[in-house]
Amino acid sequence: MGFSDLLQEAGGFGRFQWMHVTLISLPGLLMASQNLLNNFVSGVPTHHCSLPANYSLPDYQIDEKQLVKAFIPLDPSGNRLDRCRRYVEPQWHLLVTNGSANVSHLKTEECLDGWTFDHSEFLATTISEWGLVCSLRPLKQMIQTIYMGGVLTGAIIYGGLSDRFGRRSVLIWSYLQLAILGCSAALSPTYSVYCIFRFLCGMAVSGIIINGVSLKVEWIPTKERTLVGTLTSFFFTFGQLILAGLAYWLRDWRKLQVVVCVPYFLFFAYSWWFAESARWLVLNRRSDKALKNLHRVARINGKPINQLTLEVLHSHMKREIDSCQSTLTAYDLVKTRGMRRISICLMAVWFATSFAYYGLVMDLQKFGVSIYVMQIIFGAVDIPSKLLALAALTYLGRRYSQATCLFMSALVIFANIFIPPDMQVLRTLLACLGKGFTSSCFTVVYLYTGELYPTVIRQTGMGFVSTMARTGSMAAPAVLILDEVFPALPSIVYGGAAVLAGFFACFLPETLNVELPDTINDVEDKWSGRKSTPHHQEDVSLREGGVCEHGDQVSGVPLKELKDVEGTGLNAL
């Protein structure tokens, strides 16, 4: 008997779970807006050098389009005006129908008077406001890199804090932080100030994601985890469609920044209703509060359990309580054999998934289609991809689903290398397909990670492995620079990372229909690949890290039915 039995006694997946999961998932509608905001806030409008302040017009009548032609040369492709150069002197002879097209000898200069931006697609962006074009062009991607650096920092900080202070407390704080600092970012007077606010917003986003996932998982019975985990990921999918609509409607970066952050004040207001994880409360010597939460859940579910007392609660979770006598740290994620194998494999999977995903979605303007249309297409493709992920999770299990999605992502990315640039429709179609598979990877890995790590260190583990995802998202924009060396090189790097991670995913243990582990010993007994003997238990006991002895059963299921066969390769870690 364990905590899962208490959940069943309290109504299983009842009214409380529906309300709890829905309210925690609602902010996901705007989570996509935070992660993909830079596509619109820092969209690059069509632009060219501003014309000199003083110049003399020719004797004949000319319109504005002809005037620009006399001052601005064409770019090397010859299809559009150069964005970063202008003629030193106006070239009126180019307006003559039979004028010479050879302009290579004409002197040009940089945009000394700034730039003229087209406002048909964007009314105002950080690019047009602060002139982040030409030599300052890398500063656009720097905004996204700094934001992802904040997400990385938040994963490290908030992952550990939530294991210490609780999932609910850190989640509530993260809502408030994002609401205040996100709205403040819209008032940024300079580029540097905006980057600072985006960094702090990234920290809050990380706190919301990792704590929201764990708070949902720890209140859901085992058999409903797959369905709930997949369905709630659709909030992020619909959020991508909402972002496209809001960006098209507002077209002003400051207004858009406010609109996607103000709702977090509402999320903060109702988040006080959330119930702290009873598992976490028990393991942190707050059993009285855990008991109250269980009674509350049972009452809302219409199945009061008056016979549940502290003694009964402790008898169900005696092993878990005994195992938590010492403070656990990130070192415990790699200290023992089973935990080490899980952590190393998950690090590779998280990095490659995020690396490939953001390599595809953070430069929507490169497809030559309206950025708003591309956002809708990329959002809509998530719907069938996540339904596919749900079917795969249910029938194939977590391990095969994760590996298959990674391998398919790589295959599509590699295939796009061989498509000629002029076949834009086919290239865009393959990019959408690749985005769908990487989205499925994210759906699987969030659920999978929550099931692999034990309760006593789940948040630290989520924070630890998601740091690799943030590292991947930070590295993804920088890899695009490699196309100057060889056009196909970015795709080779993205696809190669996905292939490598797919092999790592094959060494992860399967968690389909397996009870959530509560202690590190649970992980070692289930997935370390060797039998639990008194000597082995002594080896992995955490007098320094929190694991202690327990019997030969895990939640009533014989260990021999849960263990992987000892093998080679990563099984030996």
Side-chain angles (χ1 to χ4, degrees):
M1 299 290 284
F3 184 79
S4 59
D5 301 291
L6 294 179
L7 274 183
Q8 292 298 333
E9 290 293 324
F13 194 85
R15 187 184 302 118
F16 168 82
Q17 277 76 15
W18 277 110
M19 296 169 60
H20 199 246
V21 167
T22 301
L23 292 176
I24 292 177
S25 301
L26 275 176
L29 290 173
L30 295 175
M31 239 354 74
S33 297
Q34 296 299 324
N35 290 342
L36 305 177
L37 192 62
N38 204 51
N39 276 333
F40 301 96
V41 166
S42 298
V44 183
T46 301
H47 59 276
H48 59 74
C49 294
S50 295
L51 305 187
N54 299 314
Y55 56 86
S56 298
L57 291 172
D59 296 335
Y60 49 88
Q61 186 73 23
I62 60 174
D63 58 28
E64 183 178 350
K65 185 175 181 180
Q66 290 177 311
L67 184 64
V68 170
K69 184 178 179 181
F71 281 92
I72 310 298
L74 296 177
D75 68 2
S77 71
N79 297 322
R80 65 182 184 184
L81 296 176
D82 195 296
R83 297 186 172 192
C84 300
R85 308 290 296 180
R86 71 181 186 186
Y87 294 123
V88 174
E89 298 291 338
Q91 307 299 315
W92 304 117
H93 67 280
L94 296 178
L95 305 184
V96 180
T97 305
N98 295 325
S100 173
N102 183 12
V103 296
S104 59
H105 65 284
L106 299 177
K107 292 183 178 180
T108 61
E109 62 186 3
E110 296 180 352
C111 301
L112 303 180
D113 298 298
W115 294 266
T116 297
F117 293 93
D118 176 57
H119 298 291
S120 61
E121 190 171 28
F122 306 102
L123 295 179
T125 68
T126 60
I127 304 300
S128 60
E129 182 162 333
W130 294 317
L132 306 181
V133 293
C134 299
S135 61
L136 298 180
R137 184 183 175 187
L139 294 182
K140 173 195 172 179
Q141 297 299 345
M142 185 60 67
I143 296 175
Q144 184 68 14
T145 299
I146 289 173
Y147 167 77
M148 286 301 178
V151 178
L152 169 62
T153 305
I156 296 171
I157 294 176
Y158 289 146
L161 287 179
S162 57
D163 273 332
R164 182 175 180 182
F165 297 108
R167 288 78 162 110
R168 176 178 175 271
S169 300
V170 178
L171 181 61
I172 291 173
W173 168 257
S174 298
Y175 285 148
L176 183 62
Q177 178 177 331
L178 184 54
I180 294 175
L181 299 180
C183 292
S184 299
L187 305 176
S188 302
T190 65
Y191 172 82
S192 300
V193 172
Y194 181 68
C195 286
I196 292 172
F197 278 123
R198 286 297 287 162
F199 178 86
L200 297 173
C201 287
M203 290 183 62
V205 166
S206 197
I208 291 170
I209 291 175
I210 63 177
N211 286 287
V213 169
S214 287
L215 201 56
K216 284 186 291 188
V217 166
E218 292 177 5
W219 276 112
I220 299 175
T222 302
K223 64 180 181 179
E224 283 87 7
R225 287 201 310 259
T226 300
L227 179 63
V228 173
T230 305
L231 291 182
T232 54
S233 69
F234 277 98
F235 283 86
F236 187 89
T237 297
F238 294 133
Q240 296 179 62
L241 304 179
I242 291 173
L243 173 61
L246 291 175
Y248 181 80
W249 171 46
L250 298 170
R251 302 196 182 210
D252 182 286
W253 77 270
R254 294 186 186 271
K255 293 178 181 178
L256 181 60
Q257 181 74 45
V258 170
V259 167
V260 299
C261 293
V262 162
Y264 284 92
F265 284 109
L266 173 62
F267 303 145
F268 167 76
Y270 74 60
S271 62
W272 294 89
W273 178 85
F274 295 158
E276 180 59 271
S277 167
R279 295 173 184 265
W280 178 86
L281 289 169
V282 170
L283 297 178
N284 283 269
R285 303 184 183 91
R286 296 174 62 183
S287 300
D288 54 341
K289 181 65 175 176
L291 185 63
K292 289 181 180 179
N293 283 353
L294 281 167
H295 279 295
R296 176 191 172 201
V297 169
R299 186 172 62 253
I300 295 174
N301 285 341
K303 294 190 66 175
I305 44 177
N306 298 324
Q307 71 276 17
L308 178 60
T309 63
L310 281 177
E311 291 74 17
V312 175
L313 179 60
H314 288 165
S315 68
H316 276 71
M317 301 191 67
K318 185 178 186 303
R319 288 188 300 104
E320 292 85 347
I321 295 172
D322 291 341
S323 73
C324 226
Q325 300 303 314
S326 301
T327 302
L328 299 176
T329 65
Y331 174 61
D332 293 292
L333 295 172
V334 295
K335 185 176 182 180
T336 54
R337 183 179 182 179
M339 293 291 290
R340 183 163 56 248
R341 176 159 65 104
I342 288 170
S343 296
I344 291 174
C345 293
L346 285 178
M347 286 169 63
V349 171
W350 277 83
F351 176 88
T353 300
S354 184
F355 185 61
Y357 182 89
Y358 286 101
L360 288 169
V361 304
M362 285 314 301
D363 192 12
L364 297 182
Q365 290 181 290
K366 68 184 177 184
F367 294 103
V369 182
S370 168
I371 189 173
Y372 307 106
V373 174
M374 281 305 304
Q375 182 61 60
I376 291 175
I377 294 174
F378 267 25
V381 77
D382 275 10
I383 297 176
S385 70
K386 290 185 177 180
L387 290 175
L388 177 65
L390 173 59
L393 285 167
T394 303
Y395 297 106
L396 293 180
R398 279 61 160 149
R399 175 170 52 197
Y400 294 118
S401 299
Q402 190 74 73
T404 301
C405 288
L406 284 165
F407 286 135
M408 291 302 298
S409 299
L411 180 63
V412 172
I413 292 172
F414 286 145
N416 223 350
I417 296 175
F418 303 99
I419 305 300
D422 56 337
M423 299 181 67
Q424 197 65 49
V425 175
L426 181 57
R427 290 179 63 86
T428 302
L429 179 63
L430 285 176
C432 292
L433 191 58
K435 197 266 185 181
F437 281 117
T438 55
S439 179
S440 296
C441 289
F442 262 127
T443 301
V444 176
V445 76
Y446 270 111
L447 176 64
Y448 203 5
T449 303
E451 293 179 340
L452 285 168
Y453 280 126
T455 303
V456 294
I457 200 170
R458 181 168 293 122
Q459 287 306 88
T460 301
M462 288 286 291
F464 178 73
V465 296
S466 64
T467 58
M468 296 305 297
R470 308 318 161 197
T471 304
S473 60
M474 292 171 65
V479 172
L480 293 173
I481 301 174
L482 296 176
D483 65 356
E484 298 180 3
V485 179
F486 180 59
L489 195 52
S491 295
I492 294 173
V493 175
Y494 292 137
V499 170
L500 186 61
F503 283 114
F504 273 93
C506 293
F507 292 99
L508 285 168
E510 182 56 65
T511 61
L512 179 62
N513 296 325
V514 175
E515 298 288 348
L516 284 180
D518 284 310
T519 69
I520 292 179
N521 249 4
D522 287 346
V523 172
E524 296 305 312
D525 286 342
K526 290 179 181 179
W527 300 316
S528 67
R530 55 188 177 187
K531 295 183 178 180
S532 177
T533 64
H535 175 70
H536 169 55
Q537 289 177 347
E538 182 179 351
D539 288 341
V540 299
S541 68
L542 289 189
R543 285 175 297 182
E544 307 163 15
V547 177
C548 62
E549 297 183 3
H550 56 277
D552 290 330
Q553 298 280 326
V554 178
S555 301
V557 181
L559 288 176
K560 64 181 180 180
E561 296 180 10
L562 299 174
K563 292 174 185 173
D564 290 335
V565 177
E566 186 171 6
T568 58
L570 290 183
N571 281 330
L573 289 174

